[in-house]
Amino acid sequence: QVHLVESGGGLVQAGNGLRLSCTASELTFRPYAMAWFRQPPGKEREFVATITWYSGLKDYADSMKDRFTISKDSTKDIIYLRMNVLKPEDTAQYYCAARSTVYYGSGYPKQKDDYDYWGQGTQVEVTS
């Protein structure tokens, strides 16, 4: 099956930055889009950012767009999430996701159900 493996999480002091990576392997399709979600302790999984595979178009949750940057390396099947000026409320399990089919909805796919494949997540903990 398709495997998505996140890395780069850890413990970081507020105000510092961190870069997460997601490596895809055993791909049997070309993703339409890949995305990052996060799930804070005791809360629901929420959308962070997405990037389309062919065009590299990006979209972000409003609360993340000023500090987070999503990017990809298509030759290596890797996406990244650069997070700057981290805050304690950024503490969460961060998940990588992939969508296999073209999205015909409005805008970008931003819901959990819009994605077919998920990684196991990587923990980011931000201390004050």
Side-chain angles (χ1 to χ4, degrees), residues 72-116:
K72 66 178 177 68
D73 185 342
S74 298
T75 64
K76 299 180 179 180
D77 294 333
I78 298 174
I79 66 166
Y80 304 95
L81 182 69
R82 176 66 192 182
M83 304 181 292
N84 297 319
V85 196
L86 285 166
K87 305 174 181 179
E89 52 263 42
D90 294 319
T91 295
Q93 188 82 355
Y94 283 74
Y95 296 92
C96 176
R99 178 180 174 87
S100 61
T101 59
V102 175
Y103 181 68
Y104 293 105
S106 178
Y108 296 81
K110 300 179 180 180
Q111 305 298 318
K112 291 182 292 183
D113 290 345
D114 291 330
Y115 293 86
D116 306 297

Side-chain angles (χ1 to χ4, degrees), residues 1 6 15 19 41 63 66 81 85 89 97 100 112 117 120:
Q1 67 178 62
E6 303 93 338
R19 188 183 75 163
S63 60
D66 293 330
L81 182 69
V85 196
E89 52 263 42
S100 61
K112 291 182 292 183
Y117 301 95
Q120 294 298 306

